[in-house]
Amino acid sequence: MPVIDYKCPNCGSSMMFDSATGALSCPSCGRQDNIEQLPDPLKKQVFTENEVQQYHCPSCGADIMTEPETSATTCSFCGSAVVLGDRLIGDLAPDLVIPFSISKAQAEEAFRKWCRNGLLTPAGFMSADRIKSITGIYVPFWLYELHNMVEVYANATRVRSYTQGDYQYTETRHFDVYRKLRLDYVNLPLDASEKMNDELMDKLEPFPYEQLKEFKTPYLAGYIAEKYNYDDEQLVPRAKEKTQSYIDSSVSQSLSGYSSVSYRDKQVNTTVRRTDYALLPVWIVNYDFGQKNYMFAMNGQTGKVVGKPPLSKGKITAWFAGITAVSLLGMKVLAWALGGDFL
């Protein structure tokens, strides 16, 4: 399978996906092509994992050096957008994609704005322009449809206190409780890339799944794309773990109204009804500050930024001091209003 690039029919320049218009765009002459109307050169073929492939840029002929997981990149010599077709076929062919809607310039501005909102970050971090690199990556995700049958056996009580004459009574009623729930989850996302931080990827949610489109290679032009390291079966345990808190919350809501609940048994039978392999848009921002490198991730559709910025010890101390002062003042005012004193 040759390296795929998209040449402009008008001027011959390398075309790229335009996040603003959603079209395949030529940066030189401005030509715009509707991706939905373009034929996709990829066909379902069998990909041999151990087959050695050497890639050359169709524009300048230079060797294309990539990591084994990369399926779309740019030529480091001429900057042409290229797609490595043999890494997107057969079992490696994505089903769906959410295209970028935030451009690189918009991502940089959104990140700087996010930095300025940091109340406890150092002043230099909020004002400095030290973005080391910003990269648009289509991260591989598995989208799961899970059906859960939940059965719960529990002991519960309802406690009621009341006064009758000169006596106060407490009445406790005991219940043998059974609940059977069906909890279905659609488009539960799990990133399938070994190099991506799972915590960062989880915090980028939610993605706008109404923007899911049938996968076509032109969406990758001009961006980096990764192929999955973990298949959908390998991530089923993590999918179950991820839904556990939602299941616990639903069970708890179904047992509301009792004073106490003691579980005797809780059984969860999970069935994977469907999985879709999707590429989701993420901007990765590397930022230098204080001789350290910080990595942040941004949802390429919503602009949500996640990451751990540096914290200013001075600001933290001042913040706690301010909270303490306000609390002491409030207690003094309350004591004065009640006619007492606060020492």
Side-chain angles (χ1 to χ4, degrees), residues 16-202:
M16 298 184 180
F17 175 70
D18 185 353
S19 60
T21 63
L24 193 64
S25 175
C26 176
S28 298
C29 70
R31 177 187 172 99
Q32 301 272 329
D33 286 345
N34 187 332
I35 292 178
E36 298 300 317
Q37 297 176 358
L38 292 177
D40 197 318
L42 291 183
K43 296 180 180 179
K44 294 286 184 179
Q45 299 182 20
V46 177
F47 172 63
T48 303
E49 185 87 24
N50 297 323
E51 183 180 354
V52 177
Q53 295 284 354
Q54 188 173 13
Y55 303 103
H56 300 282
C57 175
S59 297
C60 69
D63 289 339
I64 297 175
M65 306 300 293
T66 70
E67 295 183 0
E69 295 82 12
T70 302
S71 54
T73 185
T74 56
C75 175
S76 58
F77 289 90
C78 69
S80 295
V82 294
V83 178
L84 310 182
D86 62 339
R87 299 181 179 182
L88 291 167
I89 58 176
D91 292 338
L92 298 174
D95 302 302
L96 303 165
V97 62
I98 296 181
F100 279 87
S101 67
I102 296 176
S103 68
K104 184 174 183 178
Q106 290 172 325
E108 289 179 347
E109 179 56 33
F111 175 73
R112 292 191 182 97
K113 183 178 179 180
W114 180 78
C115 290
R116 291 193 293 269
N117 290 333
L119 298 178
L120 299 179
T121 55
F125 177 81
M126 292 186 287
S127 60
D129 185 8
R130 299 179 182 177
I131 294 178
K132 185 177 180 180
S133 65
I134 179 166
T135 307
I137 300 179
Y138 280 103
V139 178
F141 276 77
W142 290 106
L143 302 180
Y144 290 83
E145 180 181 339
L146 300 181
H147 290 194
N148 299 284
M149 294 302 300
V150 184
E151 290 188 272
V152 178
Y153 299 85
N155 297 322
T157 64
R158 283 199 183 104
V159 179
R160 180 173 72 97
S161 296
Y162 61 94
T163 301
Q164 188 173 8
D166 295 332
Y167 297 95
Q168 183 173 353
Y169 297 89
T170 299
E171 176 188 82
T172 302
R173 301 174 64 189
H174 296 267
F175 299 88
D176 188 7
V177 180
Y178 171 74
R179 293 288 187 272
K180 186 174 183 178
L181 308 175
R182 174 173 171 171
L183 304 173
D184 297 339
Y185 298 93
V186 179
N187 289 334
L188 176 76
L190 287 177
D191 77 276
S193 172
E194 187 176 28
K195 68 176 63 173
M196 290 297 167
N197 182 288
D198 292 341
E199 182 182 2
L200 280 183
M201 296 300 103
D202 286 347

